[in-house]
Amino acid sequence: MDNRENLLEVLKTIFRWKRPIILLCVVAGIGSIVISLFMSNYYAATTIFYAASADLSMPAAVGNTVKDRYYYGSESDIDRILTLAESNELADYIIKEYNLYKHYEIDTTHVKAPVRVKERFFKLYNVTKTKYDAIELEVEDKDPQMAAKLANAIRDRINQQAQQVIKKSQKKLLDNGSKSLAKKQTMLTSLADSLKNLRQTYGVYSYTQSETLTELLASAQSTLARENARKQSLESSKLVPRDTIAYVAALVTGLENQVISLEEQIKEFNEGMAIVDGLERIRQEATDQLGLDQEQFKQLEAAYLAEFPAILLFEQAGVPIIKSRPKRSYLVIGSVFIAFILGVLGVLIFDTYKDINWREIVNAK
């Protein structure tokens, strides 16, 4: 019952003061209308795009390896684009390129001019990630054409900056790859020199040498056996001159030396063949790997020189027709509502403490 009585008292008080409250609301409404009419219209231009995958800037894999390539960027690609979009480097470029000091009517001679122009720029510029992982870039300006121009220019600059970041990484890879190729080429040259020295040392020049030496040894042994038998036959005959026997004996001695020499060559060839063969395999593997590395280096170099998208455009920023702010109706309604609340609170407080003699209280202190 007390609550109902209190509510009735409040309503009675408001009703008694209805004219001042209404007058306050009318003044607030008229004032907000006048103020809103002097406020400039702003137009918002919006462009929407997606972050492109870094895979688009990478060369295709060399060999039979098949790797999936993605066109739309991952979370890290999106974060990189958003970081660039909010960077001071981007703001400095746009401010200088479009002379925003003059456009925003900021005195360049003032010591805080660089701070003020950036604050103004970032106040009218917003970039966010949508729930569909797209990036929405919005620019407000009093001039709708300028708003569209700035939005598209900022998007293109972000694309350039993202490309530059990736190209710096590619340049580093190229520099490291060039050094690696030079080292591998030096190692391959060293292997070739070592292989040449080993071939000269062991006399190993081709895989067919073994068959040739074996055939020569077999032929020499056969000839030696035949001449040795001939020598024994001549020595058993008293009619054969001694000069003939001496000649045949010398021929047998020469054949024996030839057989010994061929046996030593075959032994040395077999010893060196294993070493040369192992080093030849290492050299061949190094040559094949160097060829793959050179091909990959060429592809990386081609990718570095080629253009690639860092963003995938979904919607170009068009010239806005409808203003984005101020919402004058919302401003007027909000002002009237606030005036009404403040008016009600004011009359309630005044009515509650109207019987208090504030002068006595002040004098008592």
Side-chain angles (χ1 to χ4, degrees):
M1 193 69 179
D2 292 339
N3 292 334
R4 292 182 62 183
E5 291 179 356
N6 292 335
L7 180 59
L8 288 173
E9 288 296 326
V10 169
L11 293 176
K12 288 179 181 179
T13 302
I14 294 174
F15 186 77
R16 284 198 306 270
W17 292 87
K18 62 180 183 297
R19 289 184 179 179
I21 293 175
I22 292 173
L23 180 61
L24 178 63
C25 292
V26 170
V27 171
I30 294 173
S32 61
I33 290 173
V34 173
I35 292 172
S36 65
L37 289 175
F38 284 96
M39 296 176 67
S40 301
N41 290 334
Y42 281 85
Y43 298 85
T46 303
T47 178
I48 301 174
F49 54 91
Y50 287 88
S53 173
D55 290 349
L56 299 180
S57 65
M58 292 292 106
V62 179
N64 297 324
T65 304
V66 178
K67 183 181 179 181
D68 294 334
R69 293 172 69 87
Y70 298 96
Y71 292 92
Y72 294 96
S74 61
E75 286 294 331
S76 59
D77 296 314
I78 296 173
D79 291 341
R80 181 174 63 251
I81 295 297
L82 290 175
T83 300
L84 293 172
E86 297 173 352
S87 65
N88 285 321
E89 182 181 355
L90 173 68
D92 291 336
Y93 172 81
I94 297 297
I95 290 169
K96 181 180 178 181
E97 188 72 13
Y98 291 91
N99 194 12
L100 295 187
Y101 281 100
K102 181 179 179 181
H103 184 68
Y104 292 153
E105 299 178 352
I106 295 176
D107 183 9
T108 56
T109 61
H110 197 280
V111 66
K112 292 184 178 181
V115 177
R116 290 177 178 176
V117 72
K118 280 188 180 180
E119 288 178 347
R120 182 69 173 165
F121 171 74
F122 282 114
K123 183 179 180 180
L124 300 174
Y125 163 64
N126 186 44
V127 59
T128 55
K129 184 180 79 169
T130 69
K131 62 180 179 179
Y132 301 110
D133 289 337
I135 297 175
E136 185 177 87
L137 190 154
E138 181 184 85
V139 177
E140 283 188 322
D141 199 89
K142 297 177 183 179
D143 182 358
Q145 293 184 348
M146 186 64 172
K149 186 185 295 185
L150 286 175
N152 291 321
I154 292 171
R155 183 201 61 238
D156 292 341
R157 182 59 181 175
I158 292 171
N159 184 39
Q160 292 176 4
Q161 287 181 310
Q163 288 177 342
Q164 290 172 2
V165 170
I166 295 175
K167 282 191 177 293
K168 285 181 181 179
S169 300
Q170 289 178 332
K171 185 63 169 61
K172 187 175 292 184
L173 287 175
L174 282 174
D175 293 340
N176 294 335
S178 179
K179 293 177 183 178
S180 177
L181 286 176
K183 288 181 181 179
K184 289 182 178 180
Q185 186 63 58
T186 302
M187 183 187 72
L188 195 59
T189 302
S190 178
L191 282 173
D193 293 339
S194 300
L195 189 60
K196 180 181 178 181
N197 294 332
L198 284 172
R199 289 185 184 280
Q200 291 176 350
T201 301
Y202 292 103
V204 179
Y205 297 100
S206 68
Y207 293 102
T208 60
Q209 278 183 264
S210 179
E211 297 178 3
T212 302
L213 290 174
T214 302
E215 290 175 359
L216 289 174
L217 178 60
S219 176
Q221 288 175 337
S222 176
T223 303
L224 176 59
R226 185 175 65 252
E227 294 299 328
N228 199 19
R230 180 184 174 191
K231 173 188 172 188
Q232 292 176 1
S233 174
L234 292 174
E235 287 178 343
S236 63
S237 175
K238 296 180 179 180
L239 300 176
V240 178
R242 303 307 299 174
D243 292 342
T244 301
I245 295 173
Y247 172 76
V248 174
L251 183 60
V252 169
T253 302
L255 289 170
E256 288 176 346
N257 292 334
Q258 183 181 4
V259 169
I260 293 172
S261 176
L262 287 171
E263 288 176 345
E264 290 178 352
Q265 288 184 44
I266 290 174
K267 181 181 179 182
E268 188 173 315
F269 178 85
N270 290 334
E271 289 177 355
M273 187 62 188
I275 300 174
V276 170
D277 185 58
L279 192 60
E280 177 65 31
R281 289 182 182 178
I282 294 174
R283 187 188 71 83
Q284 187 59 48
E285 290 175 358
T287 301
D288 295 341
Q289 185 60 49
L290 180 62
L292 290 174
D293 292 344
Q294 287 174 335
E295 183 62 28
Q296 190 174 26
F297 182 82
K298 289 180 181 177
Q299 292 192 5
L300 183 60
E301 191 174 33
Y304 174 74
L305 296 174
E307 292 294 328
F308 62 91
I311 64 172
L312 302 174
L313 180 61
F314 178 75
E315 183 178 315
Q316 182 92 354
V319 178
I321 299 174
I322 302 174
K323 63 182 176 64
S324 60
R325 62 184 176 93
K327 304 293 184 181
R328 291 184 172 86
S329 58
Y330 294 164
L331 181 62
V332 173
I333 293 172
S335 300
V336 172
F337 179 75
I338 293 173
F340 175 77
I341 297 298
L342 293 176
V344 169
L345 290 175
V347 299
L348 290 176
I349 293 172
F350 179 79
D351 189 73
T352 301
Y353 298 101
K354 66 181 179 179
D355 295 330
I356 298 176
N357 191 339
W358 296 101
R359 180 170 296 180
E360 292 182 359
I361 295 174
V362 172
N363 293 333
K365 292 182 178 180

